[in-house]
Each structure stands twice: as structure tokens, then as C-alpha cells.
Amino acid sequence: MSRNSGMLWGEKVYLRPLNGEDAELYYHMFYDAEARRLTGTQKHITKEQIAAYIERKAEDDSGVLLLIALKDTDETIGDIAIQDMDRNNRTANLRIAIGDEAHQGKGYGREALLLMLDYGFGILNLHRIELEVYAYNKRAAHVYESIGFVREGVRRQTLFYNHQYHDVVMMSMLENEYRERYISMKVK
């Protein structure tokens, strides 16, 4: 994928749309055991199902699914999505996954989140963006809080994974919280 295909650009990463050629990459990127655990992925999927998923997402106007790529190498390292958009109430859900553990903890996910939040609040005109994180994914919860997401509650024992139940922490950010924290900084 060429550099010209990026949609949103940061210092270390850029976000770009998926296309049919990405099915193989997408399949391998998220078949890693740790990536599956962190995302709570239980179902096993085929490459054909991934290709069909990419096709469906291209036609779906209730969300934006983008791949996260490194600016220096063009390597695709994860994905991020604003999904389940409710245009009337101006709300949506956000999810992110970095596939390979070697790319975690380097600020790539944080930068991708900030790019997508800017897009969600500044282009899509959303009022509220929410997410869920499994209680055992403390590193992700810490990143979300450091960005400005507010904990709203816990859905107890929501996920059954690896022989036990796990809680889900619900978090959100409102447009005014985002603008106070990030847009007012740009203006100064």
C-alpha cells in the first residue's frame, strides 16, 4: 500500500482504509493468541470470512474502519474503528487493536486513538465516543484514561474466556472534554 493511500496522518503512524488485498494481512494480524485474548475474540474465522467482512465494512455507513500503519515502513500493525454510529444522538463506539506484541507499548495505539478521536469529533461531528475494555487489559485502560476517557461503570462477568468470566469496563469521552484537552492546546 502506498503512502498516498493514508487517510489520517500522525507523527509515527497513519490510518488508511482496508481494501480487498488486505484480507490475508488482516487474517494473520489478528490470529495471534495474545491479540485474541486482549480483544476477547472467541470465534475462529477463515480468510474468506475476513474478505467478506472487509466487503461489508466498505458498504457500512454506520462506522469507519481503518488500518494502522507505521509511517517509516508502511507496515500495518493494527486496526481502529468508530462503529455503531447513531447520527441522531451523535454517539459511537470506538475500538482498537494492535496485532503484534512487538508494536505494543510504543505509543502507536495512543497516536492512532488521538487521530481517530479528532476525526470523530471534528469531522463526523460526534458528541460522545464510548469504548469497552476488559478488566484484565490494564495497559489499555491506563492509555484510555491518560487520553481523557472517563470510567462510567463495569459490566460484571460479561466475557467468558479461558475458563473464567471477566468484567468489562465502560468508558467514554464527550466532545467538550476532547476540545478542552486537545483543541484549546492547538490554539494557544
Side-chain angles (χ1 to χ4, degrees):
M1 186 58 51
S2 76
R3 289 186 172 276
N4 296 330
S5 63
M7 182 175 168
L8 303 171
W9 292 86
E11 290 181 26
K12 300 182 225 174
V13 301
Y14 66 92
L15 309 181
R16 69 168 180 83
L18 280 82
N19 61 52
E21 300 164 11
D22 291 318
E24 181 82 18
L25 167 86
Y26 207 61
Y27 175 78
H28 289 290
M29 188 167 46
F30 296 109
Y31 226 76
D32 174 73
E34 183 64 0
R36 291 176 62 79
R37 185 183 77 83
L38 292 176
T39 59
T41 303
Q42 298 167 319
K43 187 177 177 184
H44 289 275
I45 48 179
T46 66
K47 291 176 196 167
E48 293 77 17
Q49 288 170 314
I50 292 283
Y53 172 77
I54 291 171
E55 273 187 48
R56 282 192 310 276
K57 284 298 182 182
E59 303 297 321
D60 181 4
D61 65 353
S62 70
V64 178
L65 173 61
L66 301 171
L67 291 177
I68 304 166
L70 299 178
K71 274 178 71 173
D72 291 344
T73 64
D74 288 330
E75 178 185 0
T76 301
I77 63 167
D79 75 339
I80 188 166
I82 289 178
Q83 55 195 15
D84 305 324
M85 279 193 286
D86 176 341
R87 298 283 186 185
N88 291 331
N89 295 304
R90 298 175 47 219
T91 64
N93 178 277
L94 176 73
R95 70 163 185 78
I96 184 172
I98 304 291
D100 187 339
E101 224 175 323
H103 295 115
Q104 296 172 6
K106 297 188 175 178
Y108 302 140
R110 176 185 186 83
E111 186 173 306
L113 284 163
L114 290 172
L115 289 169
M116 197 62 123
L117 286 170
D118 193 60
Y119 184 74
F121 290 124
I123 303 298
L124 298 176
N125 193 29
L126 293 170
H127 172 70
R128 172 189 163 87
I129 297 176
E130 61 190 29
L131 59 79
E132 295 179 342
V133 61
Y134 297 113
Y136 57 75
N137 195 347
K138 297 198 184 311
R139 181 169 51 186
H142 172 75
V143 170
Y144 300 143
E145 286 180 315
S146 73
I147 285 173
F149 278 89
V150 176
R151 284 180 184 247
E152 294 184 326
V154 174
R155 288 188 9 239
R156 298 178 308 146
Q157 297 187 8
T158 302
L159 172 73
F160 184 77
Y161 200 86
N162 200 21
H163 303 283
Q164 57 185 304
Y165 283 95
H166 303 279
D167 295 344
V168 172
V169 178
M170 299 170 299
M171 305 174 96
S172 74
M173 184 182 295
L174 303 177
E175 66 181 313
N176 64 307
E177 295 167 339
Y178 176 80
R179 289 190 176 109
E180 281 176 20
R181 189 173 191 138
Y182 297 103
I183 301 304
S184 63
M185 289 174 26
K186 289 180 184 178
V187 175
K188 292 179 183 180

